[in-house]
Amino acid sequence: NSEKYLLEKDQKKIAIGFYNDTYLFDQNACTAPHLVVWIGNKEQVAKAKIIFWNELHKIVIQKYGEVQPVIAVDKLTALYNQSVNCEGIRKVDTSDNLLWRIELKNLASNIDEFRCTSGYFSEYHAKSLSELSSIINRKYQTIAYTGFSERELNQFVLNSKLSGIDRIVPIGRTTEFSLNWDGFDLIRTLSRCCDIL
């Protein structure tokens, strides 16, 4: 939620959380964000993007280190593949290979097929959360968010009748493990019960 993000007192904290969700495992974790969806008016989204990505880039420079040449080639290959298969995408110019942003004109139903690692993000400006319902399928496990209330997220889930999504967590908490995972209660799933009547 770009409007709430702009009012956030500690914007760096959100960028640190996002770094932990993505770069610590090179976006290889099953919960790692690959698609960033911005909601708000055009001006709010433009301002929020500048602040967020600049904060994240500073953290990545400080903590991540250099991108290996093979990763840079993987990112270029992923961009070419996405360019051929998605209409109207644009790579945002950056000063290095640490952070690649691919702006989407449309939210294609197969966007989950165009992922890469080590700081490769597709981003989309949506009018509302409901736009996500058209792309979410069983492959989607986790949504990380900032600036939405529990009520708003509940309404989104109830109204959208999602076929996927097992967890909705604040940015920075996607890798936190719990006893409910991938929609399963692990204790009940992995426990043997002996009935005595």
Side-chain angles (χ1 to χ4, degrees):
N1 184 330
S2 59
E3 180 183 7
K4 296 281 177 66
Y5 177 75
L6 291 171
L7 297 173
E8 178 65 46
K9 290 178 182 167
D10 195 351
Q11 294 164 333
K12 182 178 181 180
K13 182 179 177 184
I14 294 170
I16 290 170
F18 192 80
Y19 173 87
N20 292 339
D21 287 343
T22 53
Y23 283 87
L24 288 184
F25 297 100
D26 277 336
Q27 289 179 278
N28 287 308
C30 59
T31 59
H34 291 269
L35 171 65
V36 177
V37 177
W38 297 94
I39 296 174
N41 68 42
K42 192 174 180 179
E43 295 76 24
Q44 290 167 337
V45 168
K47 286 180 189 174
K49 280 182 178 184
I50 291 168
I51 296 166
F52 175 76
W53 293 118
N54 284 341
E55 286 291 343
L56 180 64
H57 191 245
K58 285 187 260 184
I59 294 162
V60 173
I61 288 171
Q62 182 183 35
K63 294 184 171 195
Y64 188 69
E66 291 185 27
V67 171
Q68 297 298 315
V70 68
I71 298 298
V73 171
D74 285 348
K75 287 181 177 180
L76 190 59
T77 303
L79 174 63
Y80 290 160
N81 183 36
Q82 195 169 359
S83 298
V84 167
N85 292 288
C86 295
E87 187 180 325
I89 72 166
R90 181 181 82 85
K91 181 188 179 294
V92 177
D93 289 335
T94 54
S95 59
D96 54 42
N97 278 317
L98 294 171
L99 175 59
W100 282 42
R101 296 169 47 207
I102 313 305
E103 289 185 338
L104 307 175
K105 185 176 181 181
N106 304 303
L107 196 54
S109 60
N110 64 341
I111 188 62
D112 58 285
E113 296 174 13
F114 306 106
R115 301 185 306 167
C116 193
T117 62
S118 310
Y120 185 97
F121 303 99
S122 293
E123 62 181 329
Y124 178 71
H125 179 185
K127 293 183 179 85
S128 69
L129 282 173
S130 63
E131 286 187 53
L132 297 180
S133 61
S134 66
I135 64 163
I136 292 175
N137 56 48
R138 282 303 306 153
K139 294 178 186 176
Y140 286 73
Q141 182 211 48
T142 302
I143 290 178
Y145 70 91
T146 189
F148 292 97
S149 68
E150 184 178 341
R151 184 184 64 75
E152 289 172 306
L153 295 169
N154 275 326
Q155 283 301 116
F156 165 62
V157 171
L158 292 173
N159 294 339
S160 300
K161 298 178 177 74
L162 304 175
S163 62
I165 300 299
D166 300 315
R167 305 167 63 236
I168 299 178
V169 298
I171 287 176
R173 296 181 59 188
T174 65
T175 58
E176 287 183 9
F177 194 79
S178 70
L179 295 177
N180 287 309
W181 195 255
D182 283 352
F184 293 96
D185 179 334
L186 294 183
I187 296 298
R188 289 189 183 277
T189 302
L190 300 175
S191 295
R192 178 177 176 265
C193 298
C194 180
D195 283 338
I196 300 176
L197 303 176

